[in-house]
Amino acid sequence: MSVAPDKPAPASAPNSVGAHDTQAAPSEEARSSPCVHCGFCLPACPTYDLLGTEMDSPRGRLHLMDALESGRAQPTPTLLGHLDSCLGCRACESACPSGVAYGERLETTRALTVHAPRAEGTTSPWLRRALLFGASAPAWVVHAGVVVTAAAQRWLPGLTRGIAKRMGPGAEAGLELLARRRPRRARLPSHAKPDHTPKRRVALLLGCLHRPLSASLHEATQRLLLRAGCEVIVPPRQGCCGALARHLGELDNARARVAALMDDLAAVGRLDHLVVNAAGCGASLREAAALWPADHPRHAEALSLGERSVDALELLDELGLPPARRAVPRRVALHHACHLVHAQGVRDAPERLLASIPGLQLQALADADRCCGSAGVYNLLQPELATTLREQKVQACRESGAELVAAANPGCQLQIEAGLAAAGLGLGSTHPLELLDEAHRD
Amino acid sequence: MPRAPSPALTACLDALRTQLGAAAVHDDADSILVYESDGSRLHDAVPEAVVFPRSAAQVAQVVRACVRHGVPYVGRGAGTGLSGGAMAHDGGVVVALNRMNKVLRFDAAERRIRVEPGVRNLDVTRHVAPHGLYYAPDPSSQAACTIGGNVAHNSGGPHTLKDGVTVNHLLGVQVVTPQGEIVEVGGDERPGYDLLALLAGSEGTLGLVTAAELKLLRTRESVRTLLVAYPSVEHACEAVSAIIGSGLLPCALELLDVEVVDALTAAFGLEFPDGAGALLLIETDGPLAGMKTEAKRIEAVCKEHGALSVRLAADDAERAQLWKARKQAFGALGRIARHYSTQDGVIPRTRLPEMLRHVREIAARHELRVANVFHAGDGNLHPCLLYDDESADTTARVVAAGQEILARCLELGGTLSGEHGVGIEKREAMAQLFDATALEVFTNLRAAFDPTGLCNPGKVLPLGRGCGEVLAAGKQVSS
C-alpha cells in the first residue's frame, strides 16, 4: 500500500508482511491494524453524525465486519445495510490513532458480500444492477453509456425522466448530475514536450466516466503539467482505474481493469508518474497493489504503479510553477475531496497552489474535509443521506462568503454544483486545477 | 449470543416503540452486537435492546417503562469509557443519549452554558471559543466523549492538575431519577445536601443526566509547553516531585514512557529525543508577564534532575501537535499491540518511581508488555497492559495483573480510580478500599435513589452482601 508522505503509515504487526492469504480476504495489514475501540473515529464519521447509531459508525462497522469474519454475525440485509451506508470517505482513517486500514477492510468485506441480497427499499435493485454492470463492462461501454444517456436526456427528456423515476431517486439524482455537463472529447495532443529538458515524463489518466465529462479539466491539467516542465503523454489506449468496481466490491473486475491499464501504460515507455486529476481514481491507483497477493506477478507491478501515481495538484506543488500570468480576483472556498485528504493524505498542496494565485482570496470553509455526499456512486445508491450531506456542504459554502467552490475531484465538484444550483445560490463550482490554469494560460 | 427476549422485555419495548417511535428502539441482532462494548474490550456484554431518546421527557418514559416491566437499563454517551460502566451486564436496555446533542443555552457574559448530555466535550469549547471562553475539563477522549459521560465519571484530564475535575465546573444538572422523575439539581447556592456533588461521579447509578449547566473559563492569556526528555522513568518521576515541591504549579504534568513514545512515533511521525527512556510534557499558563520566568524556572528544575533535553514548543501549531499525540496515546497503542487494558490507580506522587517498578514487575510476571502514559502531577497512573489475542488465558492474565496493580496502589496509600470510574472492572476491589460500614452506607444511599435496583445494576459496588439486597429488591419488582 502506498501512502502519501504527510500521512503516517498504517500499522503493521511484527509478523505481517502485508500479504493476502487469499484474494478475497483482508490483507494482513488490514487485519492486523487493530481497532482498540477508542471511539476517536465517531466524531469524524458523517453517517454517525447523521444517524447517531453506532452500527453506522466506523467502530461499529469494524465490529460488525469482525463478527462476520468470525461467524458471530451473518451477512443479513440489515447488517449489509450498515456497511452500505458507509460513504467510504475514510475520514475515520485520518482520525484513527491506531492506523486501522478501514478502507481496505470495507473493500474486502464488500467483495465477499457484493451479491448478497439487500434490504428492500434502500437502493433500487435496478440501479445497483446497472452500476454493477457498468463496473464490469469495458470502459468504452461506460463512456458510451454516459454519452448516450446525456444525449437521450437532451433529446428525449420525458422518456429519460420517466425511466429514471421508475428506477428510483438514485437514478434521478444521477440524471440531475449528468444534466450539468455536456460530454465532449477532450482536445489533447497525445504527446507534448516543454521547450526545455523535461523535469519529468508523465502520463495523464483520463478515466472512464470523467473522460467525456471532464474534457476541459483534462486540457487544463495538461497545460499546467507542461508549464511545470513535464513531458506529458496521453496514452491513446487507456481504460478505467477500477475504482468504481472496487467501491462496489467487484474486485475481480477491478483487477482486470488495473491490469489492462498497466499494460496500456507499459506501451508508452518509461514514466515517472501517472498523473490523476480525480481524487477517487488517484486513491484507488495508489492502493492498487492491495488487489493482488504479494507473490502474484502483478503485485510488484501494481506497487510500482501505486508509487508513481500522483495527484496533479501534489505534483504541481512539488515541481512549482513559474509566476502566474494573470490575477484571478475571486473569493474561493476549498472543499477537501475525501479521497485526496483522507485516502491520500494530501491536504496542504491544493491550498498552497490556490494561495499562489494573485488576486485569489481563499475563504475559510467550515468542515472543509467532511464528505459532500458524492463518494463515488454513493449519491446514486444512498440518495437520501447523500442529499443531506450535500445540503450541509451547501450551507457551509453559503456561510463561507465565497463566490466559487473548488473541489479536487470531479465527482465532488458535480455534487456541490448540483447542490448550489438546487439551493438557488449564485455560487459556482470548479476544480482547483481550472483556477490555476486560468492564472497560467497564455 | 442474546437470550430469547423475556415477555417483560417485549412488553417494555412495545411500550417504548409506541412512545418514542419504532425507529428509536433497536433490538435486532446486529444493533445489540455493536453495543456490546465501549472503550475497552474486557467487559463486553450484549444488551437486549438499544433505545435512542431525544428529550428528557423521552428519557423519563424509557426509565418508567423499564421500571414498570422490571427491565434493567444503563445510560451511554459515546462509549469511550474504560471501566465497562456503560455495559449491560444484566441484559436489558442501553439508553443511548448521543442523539441528545443540542446546546440549550449559552450566556457569554455569565460564562455558563447548558447542554444536553450527548454534546461532546470538545464541542463545548468550540462553541464558546469565539467569545474568548473554554471548558476546562479535558479528558484525552475529549474529541469523542460526551458531557453526560463526563458528569457520570466526574472526568478529569491532563489539565485538572490546576483546574480541577468535572464537578468543579458543574453548576447544575437535570437528571431523570430511577423513579422516572425529571429533577433539576444544583443551580444557585442552596442549603441542604449537595446532590450535585453526589451525582458527579455516580457512574449512572443514581439517574440519567439529561442536561448539564457548565461553568466556562476565560481563554488562557498565555501558555508555555515544554517537552523534557529523561534517561529513565525514575528520573522523570523525581523531576515531577521536585517541580511540585518547588512551589511551581504547572497546569499539566504528563509522563510518557518509551513504549508509548514508540507508538506515538509510529502514529504521528513525531521526532522525539534519542535515547530518552521517558518524556515529561509540562504546560504552564497564566498572565503573559510572568510566563517567561515561569517556564525558565521549570526548565531549571528539570535540568537539575537530569533532563537530557528540554524543548519549548515554538508556536501554537507545535503545542497542538504535542497535545494531539498525548491525547491520542491510548488509541495509538494499536500500533504496538492488538489490544490494551488500562488501569487508573492513583498514588502519592512521591511513590511514583516505586510504583512504576511494581507495575513492570507485575506485568513481567504475567508475561505482558506494559506501556505507561499518565497524569504524573496528580499521581494518577495509567499503566496500559498490552496483549495480542483474546484467548481466555490471556484475558485472565490481563485481569489478574490489573487487579494486582490496583492492590499495590492501595498498599502504597493510593486509590482505585482517578477518572475512569469503578464500573464493573474495579467493583470488587472497592471492598479493599472501603470497610463494610462504608459500603453499607453506599448501598443504602443507592437504594434511596434507586429502590428497584434497575439503574445500571452491578456497577460501582461489590456484588457482596449489601449490593445483593439491592439486586434482590429489583428482582422482586420484576417478578
Side-chain angles (χ1 to χ4, degrees):
Chain A
M1 181 161 164
S2 133
V3 283
D6 52 343
K7 183 172 180 176
S12 58
N15 300 328
S16 92
V17 285
H20 288 234
D21 291 335
T22 73
Q23 294 203 342
S27 71
E28 278 300 320
E29 193 172 71
R31 210 204 299 265
S32 67
S33 305
C35 170
V36 294
H37 271 231
C38 67
F40 276 66
C41 54
L42 298 175
C45 177
T47 57
Y48 179 69
D49 194 42
L50 295 184
L51 300 169
T53 40
E54 263 205 58
M55 299 75 81
D56 301 292
S57 79
R59 181 169 71 173
R61 292 187 182 110
L62 284 165
H63 205 68
L64 290 174
M65 290 192 270
D66 282 347
L68 268 182
E69 202 178 308
S70 69
R72 277 184 81 201
Q74 299 306 312
T76 58
T78 333
L79 189 149
L80 295 179
H82 297 310
L83 300 186
D84 287 345
S85 76
C86 175
L87 293 147
C89 72
R90 299 168 66 176
C92 52
E93 288 186 42
S94 291
C96 178
S98 207
V100 173
Y102 177 88
E104 198 180 330
R105 257 329 268 290
L106 182 72
E107 189 173 275
T108 39
T109 310
R110 281 186 173 165
L112 293 169
T113 55
V114 60
H115 295 296
R118 260 52 181 183
E120 269 178 48
T122 45
T123 302
S124 149
W126 283 103
L127 181 64
R128 207 180 138 78
R129 237 168 275 169
L131 289 170
L132 284 171
F133 170 77
S136 56
W140 69 265
V141 174
V142 177
H143 187 153
V146 168
V147 175
V148 168
T149 315
Q153 196 175 16
R154 176 151 307 134
W155 305 114
L156 304 163
L159 180 70
T160 34
R161 260 205 306 276
I163 294 173
K165 198 162 186 166
R166 294 197 61 173
M167 286 175 71
E172 288 178 287
L175 272 193
E176 184 196 348
L177 295 177
L178 200 52
R180 310 203 62 83
R181 291 284 180 277
R182 181 173 294 200
R184 70 168 171 89
R185 181 186 291 273
R187 284 179 286 272
L188 296 165
S190 61
H191 195 163
K193 278 187 175 179
D195 301 333
H196 46 82
T197 320
K199 289 183 191 164
R200 306 279 165 89
R201 188 170 193 268
V202 307
L204 179 62
L205 182 83
L206 303 177
C208 55
L209 272 169
H210 290 295
R211 189 168 185 159
L213 294 178
S214 302
S216 63
L217 172 64
H218 291 321
E219 289 156 4
T221 311
Q222 194 186 38
R223 283 191 291 268
L224 286 166
L225 289 169
L226 263 178
R227 189 157 163 79
C230 295
E231 175 184 354
V232 188
I233 295 151
V234 183
R237 268 178 60 96
Q238 57 163 302
C240 154
C241 67
L244 176 60
R246 280 176 94 164
H247 293 327
L248 289 166
E250 287 279 13
L251 291 194
D252 279 339
N253 188 262
R255 280 180 202 110
R257 286 176 185 234
V258 177
L261 181 63
M262 291 192 292
D263 293 342
D264 291 339
L265 292 175
V268 299
R270 184 194 63 82
L271 286 172
D272 294 311
H273 298 292
L274 173 61
V275 178
V276 189
N277 54 22
C281 306
S284 188
L285 285 169
R286 283 189 151 176
E287 294 165 2
L291 287 166
W292 286 280
D295 54 359
H296 193 282
R298 286 286 192 184
H299 182 88
E301 201 184 343
L303 206 57
S304 155
L305 174 71
E307 281 161 4
R308 286 177 300 148
S309 296
V310 64
D311 192 272
L313 290 162
E314 202 183 2
L315 184 62
L316 291 174
D317 181 53
E318 183 204 327
L319 296 177
L321 284 160
R325 290 186 165 119
R326 69 180 61 77
V328 183
R330 314 201 64 173
R331 294 190 312 279
V332 178
L334 175 67
H335 159 75
H336 286 292
C338 299
H339 282 108
L340 195 59
V341 68
H342 300 305
Q344 301 185 53
V346 177
R347 184 181 287 270
D348 300 337
E351 211 164 304
R352 263 197 300 267
L353 287 169
L354 286 182
S356 75
I357 299 176
L360 189 143
Q361 209 177 314
L362 260 179
Q363 304 288 120
L365 179 68
D367 296 321
D369 61 357
R370 167 142 301 201
C371 181
C372 63
S374 170
V377 287
Y378 189 88
N379 46 4
L380 310 187
L381 292 169
Q382 306 271 344
E384 214 173 294
L385 288 170
T387 303
T388 311
L389 289 171
R390 187 177 89 176
E391 282 163 4
Q392 290 181 350
K393 186 59 72 181
V394 166
Q395 182 60 25
C397 294
R398 185 206 303 260
E399 286 163 7
S400 73
E403 52 186 307
L404 203 53
V405 183
N409 190 44
C412 311
Q413 198 190 325
L414 210 48
Q415 170 88 348
I416 294 171
E417 191 178 308
L420 294 170
L425 298 179
L427 275 79
S429 98
T430 185
H431 192 295
L433 288 169
E434 300 206 68
L435 283 171
L436 265 183
D437 182 53
E438 204 180 321
H440 285 271
R441 269 186 95 160
D442 290 330
Chain B
M1 286 313 283
R3 54 200 116 157
S6 66
L9 178 78
T10 310
C12 177
L13 296 185
D14 285 348
L16 290 177
R17 284 196 174 96
T18 313
Q19 290 171 333
L20 273 62
V25 180
H26 292 247
D27 63 345
D28 60 282
D30 305 316
S31 302
I32 59 177
L33 182 66
V34 165
Y35 282 85
E36 72 171 341
S37 63
D38 57 2
S40 76
R41 294 299 313 277
L42 278 179
H43 315 287
D44 287 4
V46 184
E48 290 171 292
V50 190
V51 300
F52 295 87
R54 289 216 180 250
S55 64
Q58 288 195 344
V59 174
Q61 287 177 325
V62 172
V63 169
R64 283 201 290 266
C66 286
V67 171
R68 188 176 320 123
H69 298 282
V71 174
Y73 59 91
V74 46
R76 175 180 169 116
T80 53
L82 295 165
S83 58
M87 297 292 92
H89 282 271
D90 287 12
V93 173
V94 167
V95 188
L97 296 160
N98 61 301
R99 281 182 181 170
M100 289 174 62
N101 58 358
K102 287 192 289 295
V103 171
L104 297 170
R105 200 168 56 228
F106 167 47
D107 187 335
E110 286 283 326
R111 294 196 212 157
R112 57 205 284 166
I113 188 169
R114 186 177 169 92
V115 298
E116 288 190 317
V119 170
R120 294 184 186 110
N121 175 300
L122 194 57
D123 286 344
V124 175
T125 291
R126 286 204 184 111
H127 190 89
V128 304
H131 301 268
L133 299 170
Y134 78 108
Y135 178 61
D138 64 334
S140 294
S141 57
Q142 72 181 141
C145 66
T146 62
I147 291 297
N150 287 180
V151 173
H153 283 85
N154 195 14
S155 302
H159 289 86
T160 56
L161 178 61
K162 188 169 174 182
D163 292 333
V165 292
T166 300
V167 70
N168 307 113
H169 303 268
L170 203 55
L171 296 166
V173 293
Q174 181 190 63
V175 64
V176 171
T177 68
Q179 274 96 346
E181 304 294 332
I182 302 173
V183 177
E184 292 285 338
V185 175
D188 301 328
E189 294 288 329
R190 284 176 207 183
Y193 300 115
D194 187 354
L195 295 183
L196 188 57
L198 179 61
L199 287 169
S202 63
E203 302 192 26
T205 62
L206 305 182
L208 297 174
V209 171
T210 46
E213 184 114 4
L214 310 171
K215 197 180 348 182
L216 303 167
L217 301 185
R218 207 193 287 272
T219 306
R220 299 180 289 174
E221 188 182 322
S222 70
V223 188
R224 292 284 185 281
T225 306
L226 298 103
L227 188 71
V228 189
Y230 284 95
S232 73
V233 170
E234 283 77 7
H235 283 87
C237 289
E238 276 160 26
V240 169
S241 288
I243 291 167
I244 306 271
S246 70
L248 291 160
L249 183 55
C251 56
L253 230 176
E254 301 285 303
L255 194 150
L256 300 80
D257 76 3
V258 69
E259 280 77 13
V260 171
V261 170
D262 284 349
L264 292 177
T265 306
F268 302 106
L270 295 178
E271 281 181 27
F272 293 110
D274 281 339
L279 296 177
L280 282 183
L281 182 58
I282 307 173
E283 188 160 282
T284 182
D285 64 358
L288 186 59
M291 248 328 80
K292 215 170 170 179
T293 336
E294 177 96 352
K296 281 240 171 329
R297 282 180 61 201
I298 292 175
E299 183 174 342
V301 178
C302 288
K303 284 190 168 152
E304 271 169 40
H305 288 81
L308 297 175
S309 67
V310 180
R311 189 168 104 205
L312 181 71
D315 51 23
D316 283 350
E318 191 179 350
R319 183 165 63 245
Q321 176 71 293
L322 287 173
W323 277 111
K324 181 183 173 193
R326 163 59 190 94
K327 293 204 168 179
Q328 300 202 355
F330 282 171
L333 291 174
R335 307 271 177 173
I336 57 172
R338 289 187 65 83
H339 306 284
Y340 75 90
S341 164
T342 181
Q343 288 300 335
D344 182 34
V346 183
I347 52 154
R349 262 188 312 271
T350 48
R351 317 220 41 186
L352 276 171
E354 182 185 353
M355 184 63 213
L356 288 169
R357 274 195 299 278
H358 289 309
V359 168
R360 279 201 296 272
E361 182 272 318
I362 291 167
R365 194 151 33 72
H366 291 278
E367 293 170 32
L368 294 165
R369 286 183 294 149
V370 64
N372 287 288
V373 48
F374 61 95
H375 313 309
D378 293 325
N380 185 184
L381 294 173
H382 292 321
C384 299
L385 299 165
L386 309 174
Y387 58 108
D388 290 310
D389 68 273
E390 288 177 287
S391 67
D393 167 62
T394 307
T395 47
R397 280 188 286 127
V398 172
V399 170
Q403 284 169 354
E404 278 182 45
I405 290 172
L406 286 182
R408 194 48 73 95
C409 285
L410 296 183
E411 279 169 36
L412 295 184
T415 184
L416 291 175
S417 174
E419 54 190 2
H420 297 172
V422 175
I424 194 135
E425 178 191 52
K426 296 182 276 284
R427 67 177 180 197
E428 297 308 325
M430 287 286 274
Q432 297 169 35
L433 185 61
F434 296 100
D435 62 22
T437 318
L439 287 175
E440 201 175 321
V441 172
F442 285 165
T443 306
N444 292 337
L445 179 71
R446 181 163 173 177
F449 274 81
D450 179 24
T452 59
L454 293 168
C455 185
N456 204 7
K459 308 292 163 54
V460 184
L461 298 179
L463 284 185
R465 149 190 72 90
C467 202
E469 284 161 18
V470 174
L471 289 176
K475 293 220 169 79
Q476 274 159 20
V477 168
S478 70
S479 58

